[in-house]
Every structure is written in structure tokens, then in C-alpha cells.
Amino acid sequence: MWRGHERGCVVLDVDRDLPWTALPPALTPLLAGHVPAFTEGLLAAVHRDVPVYAASLEGPLRGEIQQGVESALTRFLDLAGTAQPALRDEDRLVYELLGRAEVHQGRPMDALFAAYRSAARTTLRSMSGVAMESGAEASVLIVLAESVFAYIEELSAASAQGYAAEQSERAGEQDRLLDTVAEMLIRGHTEENAVRAAVLTAGWTLPDRVVVVTLPTDRRPGLRARLGPRALLTSRPGDIIAIVPEPASPTAHQELRRALAGRNAVVGPGRPWQSAPDSLRLAVMARDLLPHDPEAEGPLWVTEHLAQLLLLSDRAMIEDLAAQRLAPLEQLRPAQRERLGATLLSWLKHHGHRAAMAAELAVHEQTVGYRVNQLRDVFGETLNDPQTRFELELVLRALPHQDPS
């Protein structure tokens, strides 16, 4: 509304959120007849300032784009002197769709924002020129400028909202597709063509060989960013499963180690992707059977513990063999049984080399000799049998024993 004059210039009360409320309604019919010319100037400016849209403005979509611009300009002029919001629901949907379209085209929002800025500058210049020729006060031109830029801000915000919504929906859909691929790989028994089709749909690259990693659910935060886009993540009760390309070099091995540091992870052995379930099976077995520190700096690599895992894989069989081969020790007192058991394992490992045994057992070499003589008294000639020695070492390595010292 008019408030008075200052220094010969009419001053308007302006609503900063809806500045067009202060525009004189007479401005609408004055400018409406120039909308086609305003549109042509706007499109030419965008073509010049934002070349990424040149192809669209020159192609078969130009007519549709031109119609849309004319509608936007007409809507803006209709706001003059009213307290209406810049965009009605149907208008807002249009600009949200423009933002979504940028995602479809693989472009950042910078290009669309640049087009909006170019359109605002050109439109203001064109409308101001017509208004000035008609004798509009400077104060009206100031409010016109505020209104144009406020209107463009609303258009930009709606498009940004559409862009963000499309990205979020795509991320959710992408996660779902990648989760499907992960499940197909760890489940196995899936046609290769079906796997490759799912991989293609998800936009993932299928490595020739993979390792499968298992880690507790509470260690997931930040894992996807650490492992990068080539890793797949999925969940099972109590566990997170990651499928990662098998490290092909010491550097790649070290990178994976750093990514899994402090996560109580177990890394299965490398396998062709078709055998990913086998890598997962061994990772889970190692997690359940092998002792490891949950707070260890790096993960537990199954490939570094294959022999121990093999020994522990059938506990009942190992215990049966132990009962058979270690029976002679049962006649001894518990403390003596433990000392001689440790000595026997050391003797087998070091092929009877007393210096190495003494260092491992932290005793004098004479003590080693004394204990070995005790072992020969207990086991007799069976210690000379290669098969018996092999089976004794198997069970002694597999079964826990106390520190003989």
C-alpha cells in the first residue's frame, strides 16, 4: 500500500516474503502483452549463459519449454497486488519435476540454478524497460526487482526439493537392487544369467573373485563409506555381510585391512563369485571356532588360519582321536599331564631339537631332556611311528592346553 513520499519518490511498504503484494495491479495488463517477447529474450539468454541446455532449446522440446516459460511469467504477473503464494500446488509439482529431471540427466543442480538466475536477470531487465517507458516510479521498479528474485527463489526451492527427493528415492531403490545382488551371491544356486542381469540393473561391477566378510551389526556405521562402491552390504540376524573384490595386491590387502580395522570382522578366503557362499561359510566357521580379539586392530583373515580351522571343524572327531592317542597321559597327575602335553607338542613341532624346545617352553635344555625321557617311558615305541606322531600333533594343536610354565 502507499505510505507517502520521501524526497519526491513514492515509498512502498513491502512484505519481504511476498513482495509482489506492493506491486500496483495495473502493472499486470501493462506487461502481459509483452510475455511472448519476454519469453524469447529469456530463452535466448539461457541458451547463451547455460550451454548445457542448448540442445533442448534447439530441439523438438522448444515449443513445450516456451509454453512453460510463458505460463511461469503469466503466473508471476498475476501475483501483482495480491497476497497469494508464488506457487500453487500444481505449479510446485512442475518445478519439482524439473529438479527430478536433472537427476535423470545425471546433472548437478548447478545448471538449473544458473538457468534460473539467467532467467531472473533477463526478465527483470525486460519488464523494467517496459515499465519505465510507461512512467513507473523508481520505487515500483525496486519492488519489481524484489518480486522477480523472490519468485525465482521459490521456483529454485521447489526444484531443489524435487532433486533431493529423486536422489533419495533412487538411493533407496539402488540399495534395494544391490541388496538383491548380495543375497543372490551369498545364497548361491542362482543362474549366472540371472545374477548378471541383476548386477546390470543395480549398476554394480561383478568382480571375478570375491571375499565375504562377516562382522557384528553394531559395527556397521560408516562401513559403506570405508569399503567404497565396489562392496556389497547385506544383513543377517546379528551380522552384517560384506562382499568385496578379492584384494589382488598387497596394497589392496592393506586397504581392506584399514577399512575393517576395529570392527571385529572376519574375512573369508577368496573365491570365484559363483562360490561366494563357500567364502561366507568359512568366515562364519572361523568366527565361531577361532579365538580372536574383538578389539583387534585388524580383521581375522581365514586364509591365515586354515590349518587350525580344519582341525577345529569337527570337534567330536578330534576328541575321539585325542582320547585314543593321549590315553597314556591319563595315568599322570593333572599338572604333570599338562607339562608333558606341552613338551610333546613342542617335541613334535621342532623335530626333537632341544634348543628350540627349551626356548619355547622357557626351561633349561636338561629339563627338556628329562621330560622327553618321561614321554618315551609313557608312550613307549609308539613315538617312533610317523602316523602316530602326525595324529598326536593334530590333536595337541587342536585341543587347548595350559601354559606349561
Side-chain angles (χ1 to χ4, degrees):
M1 61 188 256
W2 299 102
R3 185 163 62 89
H5 297 75
E6 291 182 8
R7 298 184 183 179
C9 179
V10 177
V11 179
L12 302 174
D13 280 336
V14 179
D15 183 331
R16 297 303 176 187
D17 294 325
L18 303 172
W20 45 82
T21 60
L23 286 175
L27 199 63
T28 300
L30 173 66
L31 298 177
H34 297 272
V35 165
F38 295 159
T39 299
E40 288 298 327
L42 183 156
L43 293 178
V46 171
H47 186 285
R48 179 189 66 248
D49 296 339
V50 194
V52 71
Y53 294 118
S56 298
L57 293 173
E58 295 169 358
L61 292 176
R62 181 180 175 84
E64 186 177 338
I65 295 171
Q66 185 168 351
Q67 183 179 358
V69 172
E70 289 183 356
S71 296
L73 294 176
T74 299
R75 170 62 183 169
F76 171 72
L77 294 177
D78 288 342
L79 294 173
T82 75
Q84 297 180 38
L87 301 177
R88 298 161 297 195
D89 289 344
E90 59 268 27
D91 300 324
R92 184 171 299 279
L93 179 59
V94 169
Y95 298 106
E96 288 180 1
L97 290 175
L98 287 178
R100 288 178 178 272
E102 293 300 285
V103 179
H104 297 163
Q105 295 297 323
R107 288 192 291 258
M109 276 296 290
D110 296 353
L112 187 55
F113 286 153
Y116 281 143
R117 290 193 297 270
S118 175
R121 290 193 302 269
T122 306
T123 298
L124 178 59
R125 190 180 303 117
S126 301
M127 289 185 174
S128 297
V130 174
M132 288 175 65
E133 289 176 2
S134 301
E137 296 282 351
S139 57
V140 173
L141 299 179
I142 291 172
V143 178
L144 177 62
E146 291 188 13
S147 298
V148 167
F149 286 109
Y151 185 67
I152 288 296
E153 283 181 7
E154 290 291 322
L155 271 58
S156 299
S159 294
Q161 185 175 351
Y163 189 92
E166 182 68 22
Q167 279 192 317
S168 177
E169 290 169 13
R170 285 199 165 203
E173 177 65 8
Q174 177 79 352
D175 287 344
R176 187 189 67 79
L177 293 172
L178 291 173
D179 192 65
T180 297
V181 174
E183 287 295 328
M184 293 174 78
L185 290 177
I186 63 174
R187 199 169 54 237
H189 310 296
T190 304
E191 289 288 339
E192 179 170 337
N193 289 342
V195 173
R196 292 192 180 279
V199 166
L200 184 63
T201 302
W204 191 58
T205 301
L206 183 62
D208 292 332
R209 294 177 62 84
V210 299
V211 294
V212 180
V213 183
T214 179
L215 62 159
T217 302
D218 62 357
R219 305 298 177 95
R220 179 165 186 160
L223 182 62
R224 187 181 295 280
R226 285 282 198 93
L227 293 177
R230 294 207 65 195
L232 294 179
L233 295 183
T234 189
S235 300
R236 302 198 324 172
D239 288 319
I240 297 298
I241 305 299
I243 302 172
V244 184
E246 181 182 21
S249 67
T251 300
H253 189 280
Q254 188 63 21
E255 288 175 354
L256 181 57
R257 180 182 181 278
R258 284 196 296 268
L260 297 173
R263 294 181 183 270
N264 194 17
V266 179
V267 184
R271 291 287 187 272
W273 66 261
Q274 296 91 335
S275 299
D278 188 49
S279 181
L280 173 61
R281 178 181 63 82
L282 292 173
V284 170
M285 184 186 298
R287 178 201 64 194
D288 294 342
L289 296 179
L290 297 180
H292 60 285
D293 181 4
E295 302 303 323
E297 183 177 348
L300 177 70
W301 301 86
V302 172
T303 51
E304 297 176 1
H305 303 274
L306 289 174
Q308 188 179 4
L309 190 59
L310 176 63
L311 293 178
L312 297 175
S313 60
D314 193 326
R315 186 75 176 183
M317 189 178 298
I318 286 293
E319 289 176 350
D320 287 344
L321 184 59
Q324 177 183 341
R325 288 304 178 196
L326 299 181
L329 293 177
E330 291 300 317
Q331 60 183 303
L332 306 177
R333 297 187 307 276
Q336 188 180 18
R337 187 164 59 238
E338 289 165 8
R339 284 197 301 274
L340 289 186
T343 303
L344 177 57
L345 177 58
S346 184
W347 181 74
L348 293 165
K349 285 164 57 179
H350 298 292
H351 306 287
H353 191 277
R354 291 192 180 186
M357 292 174 62
E360 180 179 49
L361 298 172
V363 297
H364 195 276
E365 288 187 34
Q366 288 184 343
T367 303
V368 169
Y370 172 71
R371 291 185 183 177
V372 169
N373 289 334
Q374 285 184 300
L375 287 171
R376 291 196 177 279
D377 290 340
V378 171
F379 285 93
E381 291 298 317
T382 59
L383 289 182
N384 296 326
D385 177 44
Q387 181 65 29
T388 300
R389 290 199 303 270
F390 171 71
E391 292 177 3
L392 281 169
E393 187 169 359
L394 278 182
V395 297
L396 288 169
R397 285 180 178 273
L399 296 177
H401 56 273
Q402 296 182 359
D403 185 343
S405 64

